[in-house]
Amino acid sequence: MQFQQLLYFVAVAETRHFTRAAERVHVSQPSLSQQIRALESELGAELFSRARGNIALTEAGAALLPLARRILADADTARLEVQELAQLRRGRVRLGATPSLCTGLLPEVLRVFHDRHPGIRLLIEEGGSHDLVRQLARGALDLALIVLPLPPGSPALTTVELLQEDLVVVSAAAGKAPRRPVRIADLRDQPLVMFRHGYDLRELT
């Protein structure tokens, strides 16, 4: 059973005329008749009685008509749903981001995105790059803002570099922090306030 056959069947059922039905669905009358016969053959029952040129639904045709209308309506609904998603009129985006990017980069970006696409629902997940990569791999996120490079052993992901930032050290004025530029090795014996295990900056440093 093909979608087009159901479309032709409904057209004939509503017009009670093969030629007018063919005009409605923009096909030739022989093609429409052939598809109706193929549908009847597949179903094993005649759908129309054609006595003396009068087209009427058989019992099988009457049973099929509401089902065919429902299938066609569902197909229209599916097409509209996909078009709205494809054209960013409606939908959901699950975005992950590291804490620093959540506070520094995201607020203005999200405001602009929401102004342009008010029908899109944004769900934000904060976490370290390791955790976000794992969530991406299992499909819990659609995309994520992370710190590159990817952690060792990460699944194959497509990455695009958006920006580069300098990593700086902040200390009390009386502290013993070395002068600029600071090497990671210079901080080896310094007590540090760091993110928990699993966050990319902690692992990198």
Side-chain angles (χ1 to χ4, degrees), residues 141-169:
L141 293 174
D142 298 309
L143 65 157
L145 298 173
I146 63 173
V147 176
L148 295 175
L150 289 173
S154 296
L157 298 174
T158 299
T159 61
V160 177
E161 186 177 291
L162 298 179
L163 57 88
Q164 293 184 352
E165 289 184 313
D166 292 327
L167 188 63
V168 300
V169 176

Side-chain angles (χ1 to χ4, degrees), residues 11 35 60 84 119 146 204:
Q35 289 300 316
E84 287 194 346
I146 63 173
L204 287 173

